[in-house]
Amino acid sequence: MSDAIEALARKAAISACASLGVMLVDFFWLLRDEITFVWGDIRRRPLYALVYIIERYVGLVGQGFNVYVSLRIASLLPVPPIYCRIWFVYQAISVQVLLSSMECALIHRIYALFNRNSSILFVLVLFCTFQLLALGASAWLAIPNMQHSETCYVLKTNINTIYFATTTMATHFVMFFMIFWRGVKLPWEWSCSAFGRVVLRDSALSPLIVSLLTFAMVLCNTDVIRTSLNGNIIYYWLFCTMWISLGRIIVNHSKAALLEELKESAGAKRGELTSEIDVGETSSSISESRTSQNPSVDLTSTSEVRIALEALKGRDPSNGAFSFAVAKCGEESPSSGSSDGEDVNP
């Protein structure tokens, strides 16, 4: 029996290590964006930056601890039962902290997509409240009765965890449906724009993946899917999925905020140029102003948004106004037949 548990625990540890590897890849993938859009924006949006920093670094350390525990379980070193109970409580708390953070970010985005509709906000808060209460009920009923080995390897999942799984699946499916329905109702031009694609992609994929994982959890806990790894691998991948989703939602939110600032600054630049023309600016001065206008900024291109951020922070030494000479690498800025600057394409 111990040999079988050792083999299964080793597979669960390999799965935990794989989830940590995915998280590390995503961490280094977004590191440049983090430095540009999160650390560089920490003074103006401290709440988002603080949530991102805590979630990103504490979550990564937490998953490292999870891998350590999984390796210890695979080593078949016996521990007191109270340690196993603490480990299961830690799992419930860590999942709920990440889940609540991701749900708050999604609620904020859905609320904005529905033009701050209070009824939509009430429905989402109600579902999230039920999900939180269901997790507490599942932990209260399941953890004391969990069947596990001397090394904390779960031998049989407890049916009481189904309360958490079903409410989480329902909550995130409702979020996915709202985002999908709103994406269909919004103007096609907005949905197909770089900004719209990023918003809809992040907002829809995150609840969809969480719903699928919790649906698999429901099937395992009800013995529809019978596998000896039940209760030992879903936690690691649920932790990994929520960590990646929350990080990308916050980073792309910061990109969107930058884009809005570029649009507002471009509008101010157009107004300044119109005033100069009204007071009799020379044609040569108007021509110079045309060359300093910015082309479209693609939100999906990190390099272009970073160049735009540097242009937004830079100032024109001739008159102290913001300079918007943002150019794509290897491309020429399209000429304009009017005297005002180009609109920034979201």
Side-chain angles (χ1 to χ4, degrees):
M1 181 66 179
S2 60
D3 293 338
I5 293 178
E6 182 180 6
L8 295 173
R10 190 179 299 113
K11 292 179 181 179
I14 292 173
S15 180
C17 292
S19 65
L20 178 60
V22 172
M23 291 173 63
L24 287 173
V25 170
D26 184 76
F27 175 80
F28 289 108
W29 187 279
L30 285 185
L31 187 58
R32 293 178 63 190
D33 285 352
E34 174 188 332
I35 295 172
T36 303
F37 303 112
V38 178
W39 289 99
D41 206 32
I42 194 170
R43 292 184 178 180
R44 288 180 296 174
R45 274 174 285 273
L47 180 60
Y48 262 85
L50 181 62
V51 171
Y52 179 89
I53 292 169
I54 294 177
E55 174 266 340
R56 202 68 175 169
Y57 291 91
V58 177
L60 196 61
V61 173
Q63 188 71 333
F65 173 75
N66 296 337
V67 170
Y68 164 75
V69 173
S70 68
L71 293 174
R72 183 177 176 84
I73 293 174
S75 66
L76 295 184
L77 294 176
V79 296
I82 187 62
Y83 286 6
C84 297
R85 184 170 297 186
I86 293 173
W87 165 240
F88 299 141
V89 171
Y90 163 79
Q91 288 186 4
I93 293 175
S94 60
V95 164
Q96 187 57 52
V97 168
L98 275 175
L99 197 59
S100 297
S101 301
M102 190 181 76
E103 287 171 351
C104 288
L106 288 171
I107 288 174
H108 179 261
R109 182 164 290 184
I110 296 171
Y111 182 56
L113 287 174
F114 280 86
N115 298 321
R116 300 182 179 181
N117 189 310
S118 57
S119 299
I120 294 295
L121 179 62
F122 175 77
V123 170
L124 291 173
V125 171
L126 187 64
F127 268 92
C128 292
T129 302
F130 280 135
Q131 183 271 317
L132 178 62
L133 294 175
L135 174 72
S138 292
W140 181 268
L141 296 172
I143 291 177
N145 302 313
M146 190 73 70
Q147 299 181 24
H148 57 83
S149 67
E150 295 180 349
T151 63
C152 302
Y153 183 84
V154 177
L155 300 175
K156 181 176 176 58
T157 56
N158 194 295
I159 189 63
N160 292 313
T161 57
I162 197 173
Y163 304 128
F164 161 73
T166 52
T167 54
T168 302
M169 179 180 62
T171 300
H172 286 260
F173 181 77
V174 167
M175 289 182 174
F176 171 77
F177 175 77
M178 286 183 175
I179 295 165
F180 178 80
W181 182 82
R182 191 57 178 167
V184 172
K185 292 294 183 180
L186 285 171
W188 182 254
E189 293 78 8
W190 186 90
S191 299
C192 293
S193 66
F195 177 51
R197 289 197 305 270
V198 168
V199 170
L200 296 176
R201 179 195 65 197
D202 293 344
S203 303
L205 284 179
S206 299
L208 179 61
I209 296 174
V210 172
S211 297
L212 292 176
L213 284 174
T214 49
F215 179 65
M217 185 175 177
V218 170
L219 296 179
C220 292
N221 293 349
T222 54
D223 288 336
V224 175
I225 297 178
R226 296 187 178 182
T227 171
S228 52
L229 292 175
N230 280 4
N232 294 282
I233 60 173
I234 291 182
Y235 164 70
Y236 304 112
W237 289 103
L238 191 60
F239 190 103
C240 172
T241 299
M242 294 186 295
W243 183 86
I244 292 175
S245 298
L246 181 58
R248 290 187 172 271
I249 288 173
I250 293 177
V251 166
N252 288 325
H253 174 83
S254 299
K255 286 185 181 181
L258 169 63
L259 188 62
E260 291 300 320
E261 291 182 10
L262 287 174
K263 290 173 64 178
E264 293 175 2
S265 300
K269 183 69 175 178
R270 291 196 298 270
E272 177 186 348
L273 182 56
T274 303
S275 300
E276 291 177 355
I277 296 172
D278 289 340
V279 299
E281 186 181 14
T282 63
S283 59
S284 61
S285 177
I286 297 174
S287 177
E288 291 176 1
S289 299
R290 288 178 184 173
T291 60
S292 66
Q293 59 193 350
N294 62 305
S296 300
V297 179
D298 186 2
L299 187 62
T300 59
S301 174
T302 301
S303 59
E304 290 184 28
V305 179
R306 186 176 291 107
I307 294 172
L309 179 61
E310 294 173 357
L312 182 63
K313 293 180 178 179
R315 285 186 177 270
D316 188 352
S318 61
N319 56 9
F322 282 112
S323 175
F324 288 94
V326 184
K328 296 182 181 178
C329 297
E331 295 184 5
E332 291 292 330
S333 174
S335 59
S336 173
S338 62
S339 58
D340 30 21
E342 292 184 10
D343 293 331
V344 179
N345 179 23

